Amino acid sequence: MRKTVSGALCLLFGILVWAPARAFEINLKPPASPIAEQIYGLHIMVLWVCLGIFIVVFGAMLYAIVNHRKSVGHKPALFHENLALEVVWTIIPFLILAGMAYPATRTVLAMKNTAGSALSIEVTGYQWKWQYTYLPYGISFFSTLSTPPAQLADLAPKNRHYLEQVDHPMVVPTGEKIRLLVTSADVVHSWFVPALGVKQDAFPGFIKATWFEADAPGVYRGYCTELCGKGHAFMPIVVDAVTPAQFAAWVAAEQRGKKTAATAAAKAQASRGHRTLTASRAARSS
Amino acid sequence: MEAVASHDEHAGPHARGLVRWITTTNHKDIGTLYLCFSLVMFFIAGFFAMLIRAELFEPGARLFSPALYNQFVTMHGLMMIFGVIMPAFVGFANWQIPLMIGAPDMAFPRMNNWSFWLLPFAALLMIGEFFVPGGAAATGWTMYPPLSVEMGPGMDMTIFAIHILGISSIMGAINIITTILNLRAPGMTLMKMPLFVWTWLITAYLLVAVMPVLAGAVTMVLADRHFGTHFFNAAGGGDPIMFQHIFWFFGHPEVYIMILPAFGIISEIIPTFSRKPLFGYASMVYATASIATLSFVVWGHHMFTVGFPASGQLFFMYATMLIAVPTGVKIFNWVATMWRGSLSFETPMLFAIGFVLMFTIGGFSGLVLAVTPVDIQLHGTYYVVAHFHYVLFSGAAMAIMAGIYYWLPKWTGHMYDETLGKWHFWLTTIFFNLTFFPMHFLGLAGMPRRVADYALQYTTLNQVVSIAAFGLGLSQLIFLYAIVKCIRGGVPAGDRPWEGATSLEWTLPSPPPYHTFETEPVIS
Ligand code: HEM
Ligand SMILES: [Cu+2]
Ligand SMILES: [Cu+2]
């Protein structure tokens, strides 16, 4: 009996943890920002605490299940109280939690500290796209899902970045603190990039500040994480982190392009609405 | 404990057939109605879950539109919470509280009838939403404005249904409080009450406190929709975040409303099958009361990403961590009850042990989410879905199943089929874990919740989840069959089918006569 129980438990553990650990990702994305790094550490810390408690509590329960069963003739004890024990197992968890709260508090304060940013970008959620406005540079554009409709409708094979690609990504310099001013034009959205450890809800009529910093150049993909209607799954976020030099070049190009496109865009907007504007910008930037 | 069950000449119901059930004021009949209603809703809401998992089986699969998908998600959540878990617990309360405290019936039998009979109308309203222009509410069960202000008439029906359900819950809660405080048999002091009765007493106070808050929140949405107010519209001087505060001030106590009676059921079952009294009865009562009190000051942990100032985030983080302490105490007490007992593993006990193990896993993920920075990473992802299904399915729902197997012999007079019960337990446990454990991984990897479609990196795990979910859904048919079979016949249960059971209901015949404790039993 003892063998069967422990065998079954090993099997369950294998199915639940070991197998997926080999086959898929089971942890947070590799952190790509200082805050994501801290979140990663906090999460691992809590998991160790949980594992410790799990082993003690369910070790005891398993021991009782195996040894204190009626079928092996175990006679019930009659105790039903023990004040000392009760006090101990109230205080110990309390102390463990206090120990967890300390590093967590430091990270909370760090996440809240938007001071000293190099660049502020206004992020506006729409049903169902994002708008990024680079406040110091007068650059502003929409960022819309660019997965071809045929793939969405299952009429064509899906590409690698199905639902994680946009026409015009947010471009940021690496190694700099980027302050985001997040708001919405309609319903509540939420701007989330897993690897960068940043998430902020977007409310119409309110501006909420948060920040992130990309450690290394790369493309970081994310999603809207607040249900915002039928297009909720279809307004991804792509952050293109480039070196500061490349970023300066990108800003210059955007500003040049803006001038030349301005007259054409104004005409197009008058006749066909600003949808075309986004499209022409998309064409220009790709 | 000694009890005298008395019989009189008109021992049965006054009416027959359908009229009996519509006019009944008998707590046993009404308990049965609640439980049957809950079971029906379980299969309807469960069917929506199957549709959700079918759509998510692979990326892009367009079984139905994302708009309809959101409606299924919303109705799955609302129906499971208000149509399945809460009515099931009220059903248990109706059947068990009078039997456990030696009362002849509930304190307000007519109001009891009305509290139940409101429910089917609310359910019809919610189902009817799918047939009005624009379909059902598609906001998620949280109904955040401005989205909920923009919805079609389905939203108004949801609001109306919530009002009805709220009235029903409040009346039920008042009835339970009055019954427990006034109708206890002589000698049944508060600190002698079975823990199930205690947890329900505390739950009932929570219900009275927060259901009006929810009613207020949805009424403000209604006013914003139709009466020109701007409670949640910034352009009119309102604030959409205020809705979230009000909603979660209801919402967090609500999650404890859905778990405290489960704690009560488990605290009855574990001592019975350990043949040993509950360890730390008094501390269980205090832990329940402190959980209930603390539950009013932690609502902000559902809103860590709205952008509180640091002080707000820290307050809610500390408070949330604190609530894990009394929750832990409960788990330790259950394990200590089993320790050096004389354990046997009939179906109710299997479900109870499964509850302790898997509810704790849900508590662990709660702890992970209590840490604000980690929550900011995981909020709005599948990790949260994993967390609340561990506490609500393997927690609340499996405690309900445990309670059904435990008391069905008492209610019907027949033993259920033990083989079926065991199959039901093992299949449910295995498929449950295969369905919901991988959701932790999906959430950690970043997959948002409430999406109708997803990126290719999440495909494999979603397929595992969907297949397991179908298995989980099918396994519940065994439950249905086991219940029906037990009602129709089986080995006679006798007064006390469980040798370790000590509470008052086991002194009565099985099934108990239509009227019980017409003369007060004396508790020694
Ligand atoms: C140790 C105890 C617990 C802790 C520390 C805890 C903590 C949390 C936190 C921090 C969240 C917010 C997650 C997010 O949306 O970002 C959450 C969500 C949730 N919890 Fe718990 N929880 C605990 C126990 C429970 C119990 C007992 C229940 C119900 C029986 C429950 C039901 C829920 C539900 C339904 C949600 C999600 C609501 C939604 O967004 O739709 N939790 N929990
Ligand atoms: Cu969204
Ligand atoms: Cu909560």
Side-chain angles (χ1 to χ4, degrees):
Chain A
M1 187 64 221
R2 200 182 289 230
K3 279 229 176 77
T4 356
V5 172
S6 53
L9 279 176
C10 290
L11 192 70
L12 194 67
F13 185 77
I15 294 173
L16 291 180
V17 176
W18 183 77
R22 310 288 312 257
F24 336 94
E25 282 186 78
I26 64 160
N27 201 345
L28 292 165
K29 290 258 155 65
S33 79
I35 290 294
E37 192 99 38
Q38 293 186 31
I39 291 174
Y40 192 95
L42 284 171
H43 175 241
I44 295 290
M45 175 191 75
V46 185
L47 283 191
W48 281 116
V49 170
C50 293
L51 185 68
I53 300 174
F54 187 91
I55 290 174
V56 174
V57 174
F58 292 103
M61 189 165 105
L62 187 65
Y63 185 87
I65 289 178
V66 174
N67 295 300
H68 303 160
R69 43 172 64 221
K70 194 187 176 204
S71 57
V72 300
H74 194 271
K75 292 277 171 292
L78 286 172
F79 68 88
H80 57 86
E81 239 160 15
N82 186 332
L83 189 65
L85 202 58
E86 303 265 0
V87 171
V88 166
W89 69 36
T90 308
I91 289 182
I92 290 183
F94 185 83
L95 295 178
I96 294 176
L97 290 170
M100 282 166 47
Y102 178 71
T105 302
R106 282 207 330 236
T107 306
V108 167
L109 296 178
M111 290 171 95
K112 275 282 148 196
N113 180 9
T114 51
S117 63
L119 170 65
S120 291
I121 305 177
E122 188 178 277
V123 174
T124 310
Y126 290 79
Q127 286 173 315
W128 292 280
K129 62 189 169 213
W130 296 97
Q131 184 185 25
Y132 302 129
T133 303
Y134 290 62
L135 295 174
Y137 305 118
I139 300 170
S140 182
F141 53 85
F142 283 94
S143 183
T144 312
L145 178 72
S146 62
T147 298
Q151 295 186 13
L152 293 174
D154 277 345
L155 298 173
K158 300 180 174 26
N159 77 76
R160 206 154 74 84
H161 293 302
Y162 176 76
L163 287 195
E164 295 185 303
Q165 53 203 172
V166 296
D167 54 359
H168 203 159
M170 171 189 278
V171 180
V172 296
T174 55
E176 313 248 32
K177 196 164 180 175
I178 314 293
R179 184 169 72 132
L180 300 178
L181 298 170
V182 183
T183 184
S184 166
D186 37 52
V187 301
V188 187
H189 302 271
S190 191
W191 197 88
F192 173 43
V193 181
L196 297 174
V198 53
K199 180 182 289 144
Q200 174 60 55
D201 293 355
F203 296 98
F206 292 81
I207 294 177
K208 300 283 182 180
T210 188
W211 69 276
F212 71 89
E213 178 183 323
D215 291 333
V219 177
Y220 303 100
R221 296 171 199 275
Y223 323 91
C224 175
T225 47
E226 185 57 62
L227 180 57
C228 55
K230 64 182 196 291
H232 173 48
F234 307 96
M235 49 183 293
I237 293 152
V238 180
V239 174
D240 193 357
V242 297
T243 61
Q246 286 169 322
F247 179 72
W250 176 82
V251 169
E254 282 291 312
Q255 285 172 332
R256 260 199 319 281
K258 203 176 125 204
K259 267 186 212 129
T260 51
T263 37
K267 267 187 213 145
Q269 194 166 23
S271 56
R272 263 164 291 168
H274 73 259
R275 199 171 274 256
T276 334
L277 176 66
T278 331
S280 72
R281 278 187 179 143
R284 193 168 76 264
S285 69
S286 56
Chain B
M1 291 178 194
E2 281 298 314
V4 190
S6 79
H7 304 254
D8 59 30
E9 307 79 74
H10 41 267
H14 291 290
R16 299 260 144 230
L18 195 59
V19 182
R20 162 184 173 183
W21 296 103
I22 292 175
T23 59
T24 185
T25 55
N26 179 287
H27 74 101
K28 303 183 185 75
D29 280 356
I30 293 174
T32 305
L33 286 171
Y34 267 108
L35 288 166
C36 291
F37 174 80
S38 165
L39 193 64
V40 171
M41 294 304 286
F42 181 53
F43 283 96
I44 296 176
F47 178 68
F48 291 157
M50 299 296 103
L51 293 174
I52 292 169
R53 285 320 313 176
E55 173 68 42
L56 293 181
F57 181 71
E58 58 186 11
R62 290 277 171 276
L63 293 182
F64 37 80
S65 69
L68 189 53
Y69 176 89
N70 292 345
Q71 298 172 30
F72 288 139
V73 169
T74 307
M75 286 302 143
H76 167 72
L78 284 171
M79 286 181 177
M80 281 291 184
I81 290 169
F82 293 106
V84 180
I85 306 250
M86 293 172 64
F89 284 138
V90 183
F92 278 105
N94 262 290
W95 255 107
Q96 286 308 124
I97 288 176
L99 296 188
M100 290 175 126
I101 63 174
D105 204 309
M106 297 295 280
F108 304 117
R110 286 167 198 248
M111 188 165 89
N112 205 11
N113 171 292
W114 193 29
S115 338
F116 171 76
W117 278 107
L118 284 173
L119 295 183
F121 294 97
L124 287 177
L125 264 177
M126 293 206 279
I127 294 167
E129 288 180 33
F130 285 97
F131 306 100
V132 298
T139 54
W141 81 283
T142 48
M143 302 173 286
Y144 284 179
L147 192 60
S148 53
V149 175
E150 291 171 3
M151 284 282 138
M155 193 69 217
D156 299 316
M157 295 168 76
T158 301
I159 291 171
F160 192 35
I162 285 178
H163 281 146
I164 296 176
L165 293 163
I167 293 171
S168 160
S169 292
I170 291 170
M171 289 195 301
I174 291 174
N175 213 341
I176 287 168
I177 293 172
T178 316
T179 306
I180 296 174
L181 293 186
N182 292 315
L183 295 187
R184 275 172 291 127
M188 176 64 77
T189 58
L190 284 177
M191 289 311 271
K192 265 193 194 157
M193 295 194 310
L195 211 78
F196 175 73
V197 181
W198 254 116
T199 55
W200 241 118
L201 180 63
I202 293 169
T203 304
Y205 276 108
L206 284 181
L207 276 168
V208 173
V210 301
M211 291 311 288
V213 178
L214 174 66
V218 295
T219 307
M220 285 192 259
V221 170
L222 190 74
D224 272 11
R225 287 167 59 80
H226 299 297
F227 312 138
T229 57
H230 299 285
F231 290 112
F232 307 126
N233 177 5
D239 181 352
I241 302 171
M242 186 172 73
F243 176 88
Q244 300 192 11
H245 280 291
I246 304 172
F247 182 86
W248 288 115
F249 185 82
F250 145 80
H252 188 84
E254 168 69 12
V255 307
Y256 283 101
I257 288 168
M258 293 188 285
I259 203 67
L260 294 183
F263 289 171
I265 293 175
I266 298 304
S267 303
E268 299 303 322
I269 293 175
I270 289 186
T272 294
F273 295 94
S274 305
R275 293 164 182 78
K276 189 165 155 278
L278 182 68
F279 186 86
Y281 172 88
S283 79
M284 287 297 237
V285 172
Y286 303 142
T288 311
S290 39
I291 288 176
T293 313
L294 281 174
S295 76
F296 286 104
V297 295
V298 297
W299 78 89
H301 66 220
H302 296 274
M303 302 168 61
F304 281 142
T305 56
V306 306
F308 292 149
S311 55
Q313 294 198 331
L314 292 176
F315 172 80
F316 286 119
M317 176 169 78
Y318 300 149
T320 304
M321 287 179 158
L322 206 57
I323 212 169
V325 174
T327 312
V329 167
K330 299 224 141 217
I331 290 160
F332 303 147
N333 278 327
W334 288 320
V335 174
T337 306
M338 290 168 68
W339 186 256
R340 294 187 47 213
S342 176
L343 307 179
S344 61
F345 303 94
E346 290 84 350
T347 306
M349 183 63 162
L350 289 178
F351 273 97
I353 292 174
F355 171 94
V356 176
L357 183 72
M358 292 182 279
F359 174 78
T360 304
I361 295 176
F364 285 153
S365 55
L367 207 54
V368 170
L369 292 168
V371 179
T372 307
V374 184
D375 178 82
I376 290 175
Q377 178 80 26
L378 297 174
H379 174 75
T381 71
Y382 259 85
Y383 194 93
V384 176
V385 181
H387 162 66
F388 68 71
H389 282 91
Y390 267 86
V391 285
L392 286 176
F393 193 115
S394 62
M398 282 179 71
I400 290 169
M401 293 167 186
I404 295 283
Y405 286 111
Y406 183 59
W407 279 304
L408 211 47
K410 171 56 58 190
W411 299 339
T412 64
H414 312 127
M415 294 308 287
Y416 59 86
D417 183 330
E418 193 65 55
T419 316
L420 281 179
K422 292 212 159 107
W423 271 102
H424 177 223
F425 169 75
W426 284 108
L427 289 176
T428 301
T429 301
I430 291 168
F431 283 127
F432 168 80
N433 283 288
L434 287 175
T435 304
F436 291 104
F437 207 83
M439 289 188 185
H440 294 109
F441 306 142
L442 285 169
L444 287 165
M447 180 170 161
R449 66 191 275 205
R450 294 168 167 166
V451 287
D453 200 358
Y454 53 85
L456 301 192
Q457 56 168 318
Y458 307 119
T459 310
T460 322
L461 282 174
N462 269 295
Q463 288 177 338
V464 174
V465 167
S466 282
I467 293 170
F470 299 140
L472 184 59
L474 286 176
S475 310
Q476 302 319 307
L477 296 175
I478 304 177
F479 185 40
L480 181 64
Y481 178 62
I483 293 174
V484 172
K485 193 171 163 198
C486 180
I487 293 174
R488 301 182 117 201
V491 184
D495 295 2
R496 195 163 65 102
W498 316 121
E499 65 169 343
T502 55
S503 41
L504 207 50
E505 75 271 31
W506 306 108
T507 60
L508 297 165
S510 307
Y514 197 61
H515 297 292
T516 38
F517 299 129
E518 282 169 305
T519 35
E520 286 173 328
V522 178
I523 316 295
S524 50

